[in-house]
Amino acid sequence: MSDGHSRMTYPAKPAERRKTVVPAASSDRRQRRSAETLERLFGAALALFGKKGFSETTVEDITEAADVGKGTFFNYFPSKDHILLAFGEMQLGKLETAVNEARRTNEPMPKFLRSLGVRMTQEPTRNPEIIRALLQAYLSTTPVREAMLDLQKRVLALHTELIRLGQKQGEIRNDVPAEEIAYVFRQTIFGTLLIWSLYGDATLQKRIESAFNLLWTGMAPRRNVTIPPAGRSSMSGD
């Protein structure tokens, strides 16, 4: 889409997986149209969530804004809540890109982590209604809630990889397991977003920078300390 969203992907429905013999050009056009429809639905939904709120937005609102039939919606999303899962996957994609960048560039980890909070909270995340909608997903149906928790585990794994890289570079304290530091880092960003979403003002970037500055005082390297033996972190049950 032209608004900066990552290209969406979603599992094909059984009917779409049936083997058919079609010309390659026709198949390509069909895939393009399908991808464009998915993008329109996703973009329309996020715009409406940001404007009206998640609870007040209906599937009919979304399909009308995307200019598709209501039945088309369910070809792509099992429910309205699943749009939030798609958004979470989009954010995860941003984080994966950031981790790959950190591996490739060896940018100083303090600078990189500081910029990561800002990068991950750009539009459309910089909308309090979107953040509140994501929080609602954790209180949604069991399948959606379980999927969101699985997504968070993957986020924690990527944050842990970043912390380990910083420890290896001597830029992050190594007397605490990387997973515990990653847990606190993620919790700090998530908590900052939660509190900010209650106000919805223009202070998000300032809040994140302030949170990071305080957090870094606990993450900075210590003298004459070594990392403890590998083992399950006390935070690993999250």
Side-chain angles (χ1 to χ4, degrees):
M1 291 191 307
S2 60
D3 59 359
H5 296 310
S6 299
R7 178 64 61 180
M8 296 298 303
T9 59
Y10 211 78
K13 292 292 181 180
E16 295 172 347
R17 292 195 290 264
R18 296 193 190 108
K19 292 183 178 180
T20 56
V21 179
V22 294
S26 176
S27 177
D28 289 345
R29 284 196 297 271
R30 181 182 302 172
Q31 290 178 0
R32 285 197 301 271
R33 286 197 299 268
S34 179
E36 290 168 358
T37 300
L38 176 58
E39 293 281 343
R40 289 207 309 274
L41 284 166
F42 183 70
L46 289 186
L48 287 166
F49 293 165
K51 182 178 180 180
K52 297 179 60 174
F54 179 77
S55 298
E56 291 74 18
T57 299
T58 66
V59 170
E60 187 174 1
D61 291 334
I62 296 169
T63 55
E64 183 176 340
D67 193 26
V68 300
K70 187 174 181 180
T72 300
F73 177 91
F74 297 103
N75 289 332
Y76 296 91
F77 300 103
S79 73
K80 184 178 69 170
D81 291 359
H82 282 76
I83 294 176
L84 299 178
L85 283 178
F87 178 77
E89 291 288 348
M90 182 184 77
Q91 290 295 98
L92 183 67
K94 289 182 182 179
L95 182 57
E96 289 173 339
T97 298
V99 172
N100 290 333
E101 183 179 321
R103 291 196 204 102
R104 185 180 67 255
T105 63
N106 289 322
E107 182 177 354
M109 195 52 60
K111 179 181 178 182
F112 186 86
L113 291 176
R114 186 187 301 274
S115 66
L116 181 63
V118 175
R119 180 187 307 189
M120 297 301 294
T121 54
Q122 293 175 343
E123 294 292 351
T125 309
R126 194 170 293 181
N127 185 312
E129 289 289 353
I130 297 294
I131 298 303
R132 289 194 285 266
L134 284 172
L135 294 175
Q136 285 183 260
Y138 290 96
L139 305 175
S140 181
T141 62
T142 297
V144 172
R145 183 169 61 251
E146 289 178 348
M148 291 295 285
L149 290 175
D150 177 71
L151 190 147
Q152 281 298 315
K153 288 180 181 179
R154 291 151 65 195
V155 169
L156 179 60
L158 289 169
H159 282 165
T160 299
E161 186 173 346
L162 286 173
I163 298 303
R164 286 201 183 105
L165 181 59
Q167 289 176 331
K168 182 179 180 181
Q169 294 172 180
E171 298 169 328
I172 294 178
R173 62 185 299 178
N174 65 356
D175 59 322
V176 177
E179 187 178 32
E180 289 196 15
I181 298 176
Y183 182 95
V184 173
F185 176 76
R186 184 194 62 160
Q187 186 171 261
T188 299
I189 298 299
F190 195 78
T192 301
L193 282 170
L194 170 60
I195 297 300
W196 167 77
S197 73
L198 301 177
Y199 297 91
D201 53 22
T203 64
L204 178 57
Q205 185 168 341
K206 181 179 179 181
R207 288 174 184 268
I208 289 179
E209 289 178 352
S210 177
F212 179 84
N213 288 337
L214 289 173
L215 181 62
W216 185 252
T217 63
M219 293 172 62
R222 276 15 180 203
R223 293 182 179 276
N224 302 318
V225 293
T226 57
I227 192 166
R232 284 187 64 81
S233 160
S234 61
M235 302 292 191
S236 60
D238 178 68

